[in-house]
Amino acid sequence: MKRRLCGIGLLSLITASAGADAQTAQNMAVLRGLAPVSALSNSADGRAALASNFTVTGGIQTGAIRQPTLLPFAEQQQQALRDAFITDGNLAELADGLGTTLAAAYQARAHYLDRERFTSISKAVADLIAYANSTSGSDSNAGKYFFANGTTNGKKPVSDEAMAIFKDVGGAPDPFGLAYGRPAGTPGADAYGNSRPFQTEPRILPIVGPDYFNVPADNEVYNRGPIMNLIDSPSFPSGHTTYGYMGSLLLAVLAPDRYQEMVVRAAEYGNDRIIMGAHYAMDVLGGRTLAAYDLAHLLANDPLYMNRPLKNFAMTTATSEPQVPATISDFRGAVTNARADLVKALEAACGAPVAACARQDTGRFNAAAMNEAFYASTQTYGLGIAHAETADKVEDVAALAPEAGYLLTVAFPKLSLEEANRILTETEGPGGGFLDDGSAFGVYSRLNLYAAASRAATLSRTKP
């Protein structure tokens, strides 16, 4: 199936100066959840976290901080350059987390023919991907301009209700631009605010090599143009990371035998944005939290997330003839239908059950210890405690965000929602991070889905 969707659709969401003028109820909830970033400069802990964000980002980008990446640093740089292109139409670039055999089967059927045209597994799979990406893309785009300069698109002021979010937390726009000496509109800064690392860091290590289409490129042409111009695209939250986590977690739910590896692929994809010099660690953590929050609400069939006029959010991703699916009223049901098509396609290609093919992996995701070590290094990026009130506290996921359990139960249906939320609580990461303010959104920043998926799979195997 070929569809005329722009392969850098979410880039359009990242950089477009047009789009929905007013925030939806869903956008507002996400803006409130991300709002603590705007108030970090008010406290000593917050200012320390901002400073750490700058230092850690620069250290990762230049290699001065040696992470336990899945590939040697030079090779990981090349992976980061390939990951700059967003395969939002079919998630092809993310599918290598499925393992050597399943990834080959997936990408043979779902791949990009060029930067605009792509093929899909089936209409059910394509529609599910489009709905999920449009949902989280809308939230990411709303956040970029809101936290940069309090607008919907860089120019049009947000509503009074939205501006009240800053007042409620004692925050203000452009936290990164102000903290890192590049306030909005000043020489070398983003015109709107929240300048990116390639605009603020003292040094950006060049990355030269072939991009996703095997075209000679470097991180400069994907940061400053002409391939991808992010000069006036606010940094927070990371749209690439939002896509990377939404897409990877969607594939994890569709192919639960590779759930943990897909979580690692998401972490790698987000981390690669730091290596490119395009994003700070906080941008990546913001994108991860946003994607998990949105997907959980989709999987819970939250009424605010169902029956939405997708064209309002996907219009900036389309070419002359917008290709958007009919609105989805039952996302869990759509997952079931898409999974049936995916399993059929994968098993036809690999000649065995998906579970058997999932174990056939000679790629970079085949070592569990390496996967665990790398994912752990990205859980908080060591940014320190910004919210002392949650630092040493176990936060009950069931009480704060009961819908989060669907991130596990849809993949492992033998689990009850109660069991899934208990697992998420017992495996949650360190508290006190810059988004972990005790809210229903903030708790998603603590979720360790790598550890939780292992526990969920083990428990599921004990059930009839």
Side-chain angles (χ1 to χ4, degrees), residues 268-302:
E268 178 190 49
Y269 194 87
N271 195 72
D272 281 349
R273 299 305 292 157
I274 303 175
I275 292 175
M276 282 288 285
H279 279 292
Y280 305 100
M282 283 186 178
D283 299 335
V284 172
L285 294 174
R288 182 186 79 194
T289 304
L290 188 164
Y293 177 89
D294 274 352
L295 183 56
H297 283 268
L298 285 168
L299 293 172
N301 282 342
D302 183 332

Side-chain angles (χ1 to χ4, degrees), residues 149-176:
N149 67 350
T151 66
T152 62
N153 57 13
K155 299 176 181 178
K156 182 174 181 178
V158 296
S159 66
D160 290 342
E161 181 187 5
M163 281 303 293
I165 292 174
F166 286 123
K167 182 178 180 181
D168 290 343
V169 298
D174 199 16
F176 296 162

Side-chain angles (χ1 to χ4, degrees), residues 161-249:
E161 181 187 5
M163 281 303 293
I165 292 174
F166 286 123
K167 182 178 180 181
D168 290 343
V169 298
D174 199 16
F176 296 162
L178 294 172
Y180 306 144
R182 288 287 188 275
T186 60
D190 188 297
Y192 306 115
N194 281 339
S195 295
R196 292 172 179 256
F198 67 80
Q199 296 166 305
T200 64
E201 292 283 350
R203 178 184 177 223
I204 293 294
L205 200 64
I207 303 172
V208 180
D211 68 4
Y212 183 75
F213 291 98
N214 207 34
V215 174
D218 58 28
N219 52 338
E220 184 82 355
V221 300
Y222 272 98
N223 288 341
R224 296 184 179 272
I227 296 179
M228 192 176 288
N229 189 339
L230 305 178
I231 291 173
D232 291 327
S233 170
S235 191
F236 182 86
S238 167
H240 274 76
T241 303
T242 301
Y243 149 77
Y245 266 92
M246 175 59 84
S248 294
L249 293 180

Side-chain angles (χ1 to χ4, degrees), residues 130-433:
Y131 197 89
N133 276 339
S134 293
T135 297
S136 58
S138 169
D139 286 339
S140 177
N141 194 51
K144 281 185 175 294
Y145 291 108
F146 178 76
F147 292 107
N149 67 350
T151 66
T152 62
N153 57 13
K155 299 176 181 178
K156 182 174 181 178
V158 296
S159 66
D160 290 342
E161 181 187 5
M163 281 303 293
I165 292 174
F166 286 123
K167 182 178 180 181
D168 290 343
V169 298
D174 199 16
F176 296 162
L178 294 172
Y180 306 144
R182 288 287 188 275
T186 60
D190 188 297
Y192 306 115
N194 281 339
S195 295
R196 292 172 179 256
F198 67 80
Q199 296 166 305
T200 64
E201 292 283 350
R203 178 184 177 223
I204 293 294
L205 200 64
I207 303 172
V208 180
D211 68 4
Y212 183 75
F213 291 98
N214 207 34
V215 174
D218 58 28
N219 52 338
E220 184 82 355
V221 300
Y222 272 98
N223 288 341
R224 296 184 179 272
I227 296 179
M228 192 176 288
N229 189 339
L230 305 178
I231 291 173
D232 291 327
S233 170
S235 191
F236 182 86
S238 167
H240 274 76
T241 303
T242 301
Y243 149 77
Y245 266 92
M246 175 59 84
S248 294
L249 293 180
L250 197 58
L251 288 177
V253 168
L254 291 172
D257 291 296
R258 298 290 296 187
Y259 198 120
Q260 286 188 287
E261 291 82 1
M262 287 310 311
V263 170
V264 176
R265 179 62 178 114
E268 178 190 49
Y269 194 87
N271 195 72
D272 281 349
R273 299 305 292 157
I274 303 175
I275 292 175
M276 282 288 285
H279 279 292
Y280 305 100
M282 283 186 178
D283 299 335
V284 172
L285 294 174
R288 182 186 79 194
T289 304
L290 188 164
Y293 177 89
D294 274 352
L295 183 56
H297 283 268
L298 285 168
L299 293 172
N301 282 342
D302 183 332
L304 284 177
Y305 283 70
M306 300 298 106
N307 297 302
R308 303 185 67 210
L310 253 180
K311 64 181 180 180
N312 288 350
F313 310 108
M315 64 181 177
T316 56
T317 74
T319 56
S320 57
E321 297 182 13
Q323 296 286 334
V324 295
T327 187
I328 292 179
S329 60
D330 177 6
F331 194 82
R332 283 205 304 277
V335 168
T336 298
N337 294 336
R339 183 186 287 138
D341 287 355
L342 179 60
V343 168
K344 182 179 179 181
L346 294 180
E347 291 186 344
C350 77
V354 167
C357 298
R359 294 191 291 270
Q360 300 170 11
D361 185 9
T362 59
R364 66 186 185 280
F365 300 99
N366 73 345
M370 290 181 64
N371 288 341
E372 183 176 11
F374 171 67
Y375 181 80
S377 74
T378 69
Q379 181 70 35
T380 68
Y381 282 102
L383 297 185
I385 293 171
H387 293 281
E389 68 275 17
T390 58
D392 297 316
K393 179 181 178 182
V394 174
E395 295 180 272
D396 185 349
V397 175
L400 283 170
E403 74 287 340
Y406 286 103
L407 292 168
L408 297 179
T409 61
V410 178
F412 305 101
K414 292 181 181 181
L415 271 60
S416 67
L417 192 63
E418 179 184 5
E419 289 171 327
N421 281 322
R422 184 170 64 250
I423 289 172
L424 291 173
T425 300
E426 292 173 352
T427 58
E428 64 189 19

Side-chain angles (χ1 to χ4, degrees), residues 105-116:
Y106 187 100
Q107 292 165 343
R109 287 153 181 78
H111 52 269
Y112 271 69
L113 306 173
D114 53 38
R115 292 182 187 270
E116 291 188 349

